[in-house]
Amino acid sequence: MVSSSHEALHRVFQKDPALLTRAFQKVLRVPFPEPRDFAVLNADVTEIEPVERRVDTLMRVETDEGAYLLVVEAQGKKDERKRGSWPYYLAYLYEKYRCEPVLVVITQNSTTARWAAQPIRRGLPGWESLTVRPLVIGPDNVPVIASEREAERDVPLAVLSAMTHGRGAQAAAILEPLAFALRTVDGDSAAVFGQLIESCLADSRAKEIWRDLMSEIRYFFNNPVAEKVREEGRVEGRLEDRAGMILRILEWRAIPVSEAVRERVLACPDLDQLEAWARRAVTAARAEDLFAGDGA
């Protein structure tokens, strides 16, 4: 049982480790190599028995460019002691695992986010022996995902949005679209995500709304027609992604796309047909060439 927002904010990355690297790209705008594998590691960084030190979540990420340690810390408020412990964590973990550590701080508070983002410098002014630059995820850089369609495209990112904005005025606007999006994932994942979100909601009215929505989601997953509905949603999502890819290819190649072509691509209900059009989009001289050989 997740009992606090502090625990929920870092546990979401244990549920979906790939969410963290997507957050680098979509939220922090920091380039990160495409991950091949993830492993959640023991978060204990105790070195001397009487002094216990523990990070919130620790993951090893394997990429084509090497391995990285992602150190995730959930932070509810300013705590100057962290400016001593965070450099220790990174130095200790590098020595233990011999791969590059990356510190990520996640918070629901804008003031805390600005504090956490300040570089930590140790040594002579202007000639520091050690500099730590935390990457911070918070309400100022996580987008508010209040569209059902957008939430369905990346459910874990929508969950992160609800969690980081859980103490703000926009929390309630995120909840209903997200509840519908949770119906597109499996029941166990929906239950875990639902619990994490509830732990991060500060407003009692928002909590009440979310509990009502989760009751509907539980009913949905216990309904015998739910699997059919979810499968239809997954197929619709694949159709939309493939159609969007075709149009983006043409745009990247600076080929004008008429409204008629756009409508025909977006309305196509056949994945195989969309695949054929995607292959043609790579070499087509005109947007209309997508349909060459398809008849009227």
Side-chain angles (χ1 to χ4, degrees):
M1 179 70 180
V2 179
S3 58
S4 69
S5 60
H6 177 277
E7 187 177 359
L9 283 169
H10 67 88
R11 280 276 298 277
V12 69
F13 298 115
Q14 296 179 22
K15 171 61 183 169
D16 184 357
L19 171 62
L20 192 53
T21 55
R22 293 203 302 282
F24 277 113
Q25 299 160 1
K26 297 183 178 181
V27 175
L28 297 168
R29 308 297 182 188
V30 172
F32 193 88
E34 194 64 29
R36 288 188 284 104
D37 191 29
F38 291 91
V40 178
L41 305 179
N42 188 331
D44 194 341
V45 291
T46 303
E47 188 173 18
I48 303 174
E49 189 172 345
V51 181
E52 182 179 355
R53 300 179 187 269
R54 186 177 297 273
V55 299
D56 289 331
T57 286
L58 178 63
M59 292 186 294
R60 182 186 176 102
V61 182
E62 299 288 345
T63 78
D64 291 336
E65 299 178 18
Y68 293 86
L69 291 176
L70 301 184
V71 184
V72 184
E73 285 278 278
Q75 196 66 28
K77 60 183 180 180
K78 295 180 183 180
D79 183 352
E80 289 302 323
R81 293 174 302 175
K82 293 291 187 177
R83 301 183 71 78
S85 58
W86 285 341
Y88 168 83
Y89 294 162
L90 300 179
Y92 174 83
L93 290 169
Y94 177 79
E95 179 65 22
K96 181 176 181 179
Y97 292 101
R98 288 293 170 174
C99 60
E100 299 297 338
V102 179
L103 174 62
V104 181
V105 179
I106 180 167
T107 182
Q108 294 179 291
N109 184 281
S110 295
T111 301
T112 303
R114 289 190 291 271
W115 164 81
Q118 296 172 7
I120 302 168
R121 296 185 173 90
R122 295 289 176 261
L124 292 172
W127 196 276
E128 291 80 10
S129 301
L130 174 67
T131 301
V132 175
R133 298 175 61 198
L135 291 166
V136 181
I137 297 173
D140 293 335
N141 57 6
V142 175
V144 174
I145 298 179
S147 155
E148 181 182 335
R149 183 71 69 187
E150 190 177 358
E152 287 177 353
R153 288 196 188 101
D154 193 336
V155 173
L157 186 63
V159 170
L160 182 65
S161 175
M163 292 168 64
T164 51
H165 292 282
R167 295 184 178 275
Q170 302 183 86
I174 301 173
L175 299 182
E176 189 167 350
L178 179 53
F180 280 101
L182 285 180
R183 301 182 189 199
T184 65
V185 302
D186 63 274
D188 290 340
S189 294
V192 172
F193 284 143
Q195 188 182 96
L196 293 173
I197 292 164
E198 182 175 339
S199 298
C200 290
L201 296 175
D203 181 69
S204 58
R205 176 58 181 154
K207 276 185 180 287
E208 183 181 342
I209 291 171
W210 185 244
R211 286 169 182 162
D212 289 344
L213 290 169
M214 284 304 297
S215 295
E216 295 177 11
I217 291 172
R218 283 190 289 270
Y219 172 79
F220 174 80
F221 280 104
N222 291 327
N223 190 311
V225 301
E227 182 55 37
K228 179 181 178 183
V229 174
R230 288 196 297 277
E231 180 57 30
E232 289 174 352
R234 285 192 286 267
V235 171
E236 182 180 349
R238 289 196 293 271
L239 289 169
E240 182 177 326
D241 288 344
R242 191 66 53 82
M245 179 184 71
I246 293 167
L247 297 174
R248 285 194 297 274
I249 291 172
L250 294 174
E251 289 170 3
W252 291 335
R253 297 185 58 224
I255 294 177
V257 179
S258 68
E259 193 60 33
V261 169
R262 184 180 300 275
E263 288 180 1
R264 183 170 175 180
V265 170
L266 293 175
C268 180
D270 187 333
L271 276 171
D272 291 337
Q273 180 66 78
L274 288 170
E275 180 63 33
W277 290 348
R279 289 194 296 269
R280 293 174 192 168
V282 176
T283 57
R286 302 178 307 127
E288 288 74 15
D289 293 345
L290 293 179
F291 315 125
D294 293 338

